[in-house]
């Protein structure tokens, strides 16, 4: 009972903080907004990499599909700003999910490292295609419609929409991991042949997981494209070397295969990166590279995984009894 | 008693090795059938051939009167024919109880049942089966942290959880503490009698299989050497030869 009250208090406190943050620290609103984006990146990556055991290096594809789909809809629909953005974002999510389902037919049949390598080309190929396709602006990219309001209002708008998306992603996955669908994902991760021999529909399961991951990433792409204001095929939409790699790192840093790990990993990574950018200008990429190596060497289990090893009682991995 | 499983002339080759050479045998509904034979005689390969783990080169596998030799392993499992593995396979990074939960029979119906609540009956059955194999106290441990013998017992409990009609057990007593083997034999018999699961058991321990099986088939060099009641097989000179020759 006491635990439950403390939990409600913590949730309420965190909620208030999220609502108040842009007003308490207005100079950092954009950084906070990107933090929400990073949380979506890490959570959706971990659904595949951590829970299902399929390390995808191509998830950036779905982000880019969402960004382009939304921008095209905004350009051609003739609707008002908010309507076009809302429908465009939904369209981006659905198209990204459909792309995952289609690609999954082929690629999800690959196991282990072969899957990882198979996905590696996805983002690169998409960047090349978008960069040569006039319908989406080819190499010069796409601009999005201007926000109908003041600059401060624009910052707040994107802060809150991305916060809502991160929360929706988090709550969806929290629910999912409490169902037997979540257990089935873990079963495939631990021994896919056994899962198949026990009669599980592993192919459908994997496709469903990838599509769900892609759905949230597609929406995040739609919103991020509008937040950034300009969609470059290689540096924004299909930015495999930055966003694409960060997704993986943040999930590993926080703890693969846990609900909170990716959230913690995204926060630590994003803040560290901002600090590097501020204090190590010119060397920030070197520092980031070293950080990445340090993460993999010293935190192979991630922050949560390490804590769990040290304090198994407090961070035990008990699945909820349904 | 009707035939639940009818293996007809199954041949399986690995390159030049003929692991199963025109093997024919049958398992009757409700019985405990045994499969023995020296190391490398093709017992495990035959199980894999039956459950669809690999394509066979010749012959047919009839289950409930239907040819299942072209079906894949998951489809066969959904019809109630499952096997356990000689090397044991469990979900190592998941708690023991979750290994049981994800082996419930309705997960074989598709994706949507996974979103249904498992229900009290299913939860109770998972706990009962863990008690049945003596692992209830270990329910919250990661399955991978159990000893080999305990993992064997867990795999057996998972198989029972999935409510098969025919269960193929590959050396269920291997790695089990010898003082616990009699208890395990008793449990196998109870699974057969009380839960109504037909069993087909590979076993190296002669005392165990003689005690357990209604009928026994002996393989050697991929071929059926002899089959019959435990007494018939035990006294068959070819079986004695195969075992002595292999020592
Ligand atoms: N995947 C495989 N690839 C190549 N050869 C194999 C394979 N599986 C089994 N064999 C060979 O087939 C033959 C039969 O092996 P199998 O494992 O079926 O024997 P077994 O009767 O189960 O033996 P044991 O009592 O040691 O478990 C052996 O010669 C083995 O080396
Ligand atoms: Mg064997």
């Amino acid at each position: 009972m006491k635990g439950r009250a403390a939990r409600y208090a913590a949730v309420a406190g965190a909620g208030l903080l999220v609502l108040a943050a842009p007003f308490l620290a207005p100079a950092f609103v954009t950084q906070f907004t990107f933090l929400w984006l990073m949380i979506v990146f890490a959570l959706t990556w971990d659904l595949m990499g951590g829970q299902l055991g399929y390390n995808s290096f191509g998830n950036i594809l779905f982000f880019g599909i969402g960004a382009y789909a939304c921008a095209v809809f905004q350009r051609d629909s003739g609707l008002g700003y908010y309507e076009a953005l809302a429908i465009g974002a939904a369209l981006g999510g659905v198209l990204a999910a459909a792309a995952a389902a289609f690609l999954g037919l082929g690629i999800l049949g690959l196991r282990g490292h072969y899957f990882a390598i198979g996905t590696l080309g996805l983002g690169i190929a998409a960047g090349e295609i978008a960069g040569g396709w006039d319908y989406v602006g080819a190499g010069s990219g796409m601009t999005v419609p201007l926000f109908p309001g003041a600059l401060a209002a624009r910052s707040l708008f994107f802060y809150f929409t991305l916060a809502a998306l991160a929360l929706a992603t988090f709550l969806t996955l929290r629910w999912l991991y409490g169902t037997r669908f979540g257990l089935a994902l873990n079963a495939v991760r631990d021994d896919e042949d056994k899962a198949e021999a026990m009669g599980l529909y592993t192919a459908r399961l994997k496709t469903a997981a990838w599509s769900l991951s892609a759905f949230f990433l597609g929406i995040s792409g739609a919103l991020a494209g509008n937040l950034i204001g300009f969609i470059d095929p290689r540096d924004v939409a299909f930015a495999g070397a930055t966003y694409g790699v960060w997704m993986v790192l943040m999930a590993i840093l926080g703890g693969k295969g846990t609900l909170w790990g990716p959230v913690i990993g995204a926060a630590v990574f994003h803040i560290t990166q901002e600090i590097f950018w501020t204090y190590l200008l010119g060397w920030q990429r070197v520092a980031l590279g070293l950080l990445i190596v340090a993460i993999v060497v010293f935190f192979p289990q991630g922050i949560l995984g390490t804590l769990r090893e040290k304090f198994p009682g407090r961070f035990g991995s008990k699945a909820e009894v349904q | 008693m009707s035939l639940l499983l009818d293996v007809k002339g199954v041949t399986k080759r690995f390159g030049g090795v003929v692991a199963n050479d025109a093997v024919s045998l049958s398992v009757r509904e409700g019985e405990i059938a045994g499969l023995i034979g020296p190391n490398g005689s093709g017992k495990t390969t035959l199980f894999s051939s039956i459950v669809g783990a690999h394509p066979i080169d010749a012959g047919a596998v009839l289950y409930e009167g239907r040819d299942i030799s072209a079906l894949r392993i998951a489809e066969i499992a959904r019809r109630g024919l499952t096997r356990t593995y000689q090397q044991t396979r469990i979900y190592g990074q998941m708690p023991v109880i979750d290994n049981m939960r994800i082996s419930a029979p309705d997960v074989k119906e598709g994706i949507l049942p996974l979103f249904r609540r498992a229900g009290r009956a299913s939860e109770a059955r998972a706990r009962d089966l863990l008690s049945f194999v003596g692992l209830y106290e270990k329910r919250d441990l990661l399955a991978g942290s159990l000893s080999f013998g305990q993992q064997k017992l867990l795999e057996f409990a998972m198989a029972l959880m999935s409510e098969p009609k025919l269960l193929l057990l590959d050396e269920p007593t291997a790695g089990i503490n010898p003082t616990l083997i009699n208890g395990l034999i008793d449990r196998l018999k109870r699974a057969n009698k009380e839960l109504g699961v037909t069993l087909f058991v590979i076993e190296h321990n002669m005392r165990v299989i003689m005690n357990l099986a209604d009928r026994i088939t002996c393989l050697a060099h991929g071929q059926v050497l002899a089959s019959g009641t435990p007494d018939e097989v035990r006294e068959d000179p070819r079986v004695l030869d195969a075992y002595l020759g292999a020592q």
Side-chain angles (χ1 to χ4, degrees):
Chain A
M1 276 289 108
K2 205 173 141 200
R4 181 174 287 187
R7 212 146 142 206
Y8 283 138
V11 170
L16 277 178
L17 195 66
V18 168
L19 290 177
F23 306 101
L24 294 177
F28 293 101
V29 175
T30 306
Q31 272 89 334
F32 288 149
T33 309
F34 272 96
L35 174 58
W36 296 125
L37 180 65
M38 294 300 139
I39 289 175
V40 174
F41 281 174
L43 280 171
T44 52
W45 188 85
D46 194 60
L47 170 58
M48 290 299 287
Q51 300 287 344
L52 185 66
Y54 273 71
N55 295 311
S56 166
F57 292 107
N59 273 15
I60 190 69
L61 172 72
F62 308 122
F63 175 81
I65 288 176
Y68 272 113
C70 182
V72 167
F73 186 78
Q74 288 175 289
R75 182 189 66 190
D76 299 343
S77 72
L79 295 174
Y81 182 84
Y82 294 106
E83 294 91 322
L85 180 60
I87 298 173
L91 183 72
V94 170
L95 276 182
F102 176 72
L103 288 170
L105 291 178
I107 299 184
L108 282 169
L110 301 172
R111 296 275 180 94
H113 299 306
Y114 294 99
F115 174 79
I117 293 164
T119 57
L120 200 55
L122 290 179
I124 300 169
E128 291 304 312
I129 292 170
W133 192 10
D134 288 328
Y135 180 63
V136 295
S140 42
M142 287 185 77
T143 49
V144 292
L146 272 182
F147 182 82
L151 214 54
R154 180 182 190 278
S155 298
L156 284 181
F157 174 75
F158 284 107
Y159 173 89
F160 284 111
T161 45
L162 273 155
L165 178 67
L167 188 68
T169 309
F170 179 85
L171 290 178
T172 304
L173 294 183
R174 194 178 89 124
W175 163 76
L176 191 75
Y177 298 161
T179 68
R180 290 188 297 168
F181 186 92
L183 295 184
L185 296 177
N186 296 161
V188 169
R189 174 195 66 196
D190 285 1
D191 191 337
E192 186 167 347
D193 288 325
K194 173 72 176 178
E196 216 164 308
M198 293 297 281
L200 284 165
Y201 284 83
T202 54
R204 293 184 203 173
L205 190 75
K206 292 186 288 183
T207 305
W210 213 16
S211 293
L212 185 67
S213 171
F215 176 70
F216 287 115
L217 270 174
I219 298 176
S220 81
L223 296 177
N226 277 271
L227 167 69
I228 296 165
F230 170 70
I231 301 168
D232 181 273
R234 292 177 195 87
D235 292 338
V236 176
F238 303 110
T242 51
Y243 296 162
V245 173
W246 297 350
M247 293 175 183
V248 187
L249 286 172
M250 293 184 296
I252 293 176
L253 172 63
K256 270 171 82 168
T258 62
L259 178 64
W260 278 101
V263 179
I264 295 168
V268 172
F269 183 84
H270 188 59
I271 292 167
T272 312
Q273 201 202 2
E274 288 296 327
I275 292 173
F276 284 175
W277 212 263
T278 312
Y279 296 103
L280 298 174
L281 199 64
W283 290 89
Q284 76 273 21
R285 285 192 185 278
V286 177
L288 199 61
L290 290 176
L291 175 69
I292 290 168
V293 174
I295 290 171
V296 176
V297 173
F298 295 110
F299 291 99
Q301 308 281 338
I303 295 170
L304 256 190
T306 308
L307 286 175
R308 193 177 267 180
E309 245 164 43
K310 290 236 164 79
F311 312 99
R314 288 190 68 83
F315 298 91
S317 58
K318 270 216 199 155
E320 298 281 331
V321 178
Q322 292 198 24
Chain B
M1 276 194 290
S2 63
L3 290 188
L4 190 53
L5 181 73
D6 197 4
V7 175
K8 292 188 160 174
V10 164
T11 297
K12 176 67 190 176
R13 295 187 202 91
F14 295 110
V17 180
V18 188
N20 290 155
D21 188 359
V23 173
S24 294
L25 55 79
S26 60
V27 176
R28 296 173 191 156
E29 187 151 13
E31 75 172 341
I32 301 182
L35 184 62
I36 61 172
N39 289 117
S41 57
K43 303 182 297 294
T44 298
T45 302
L46 183 64
F47 270 19
S48 299
S49 298
I50 292 170
V51 300
H54 53 219
I56 55 178
D57 296 308
V61 178
L62 272 67
Y63 170 67
E64 296 183 307
R66 276 190 296 270
D67 187 359
I68 57 166
S69 47
L71 298 182
R72 286 187 315 181
I73 192 163
E75 295 163 326
I76 292 173
R78 284 170 208 143
R79 291 169 189 231
L81 169 49
T82 320
R83 62 95 69 93
T84 64
Y85 293 84
Q86 186 169 354
Q87 301 305 325
T88 79
R89 299 183 86 148
I90 41 90
Y91 308 120
Q93 294 301 308
M94 293 166 65
V96 167
I97 186 73
D98 285 349
N99 273 261
M100 297 298 290
R101 288 185 179 128
I102 200 57
S103 303
D106 58 340
V107 307
K108 294 187 280 190
E109 289 164 17
I111 293 279
L112 287 181
L114 296 173
F115 295 104
R116 277 205 306 259
R117 281 167 177 274
R120 246 173 235 188
S122 183
E123 282 292 316
R125 187 173 160 80
R127 288 195 299 269
D128 290 348
L129 284 170
L130 281 181
S131 305
F132 181 66
V133 298
L135 289 176
Y136 184 67
E137 262 63 55
K138 313 261 181 202
R139 63 190 177 281
D140 290 327
L141 297 181
L142 291 187
S145 71
L146 301 180
S147 71
F148 180 75
Q150 290 168 336
Q151 292 188 18
K152 267 231 106 123
L153 292 169
L154 173 59
E155 195 185 23
F156 175 48
M158 287 161 70
L160 292 179
M161 183 77 192
S162 75
E163 298 182 0
K165 287 190 197 119
L166 172 56
L167 177 57
L168 313 189
L169 297 166
D170 200 340
E171 303 199 14
T173 65
I176 303 283
N177 184 334
T179 59
L180 302 176
I181 287 186
N182 282 341
L184 182 58
I185 295 176
D186 179 54
R187 287 186 180 85
L188 293 173
K189 286 184 173 171
R190 281 176 56 197
N192 174 249
K193 287 275 165 319
E194 294 168 21
L195 304 177
V197 184
T198 303
L199 297 178
F200 188 22
V201 184
I202 295 178
E203 187 51 70
H204 259 302
N205 187 325
M206 279 299 181
R207 185 182 66 81
V208 171
I209 199 71
M210 294 298 157
N211 196 327
L212 186 68
D214 303 312
R215 290 186 312 134
I216 295 175
T217 301
C218 178
L219 287 186
H221 304 294
Q223 296 174 324
V224 174
L225 195 62
S227 60
T229 64
D231 288 335
E232 284 165 8
V233 170
R234 180 169 33 202
E235 272 141 35
D236 193 307
R238 290 166 302 178
V239 175
L240 290 173
D241 258 9
Y243 270 88
L244 293 177
Q247 301 295 302

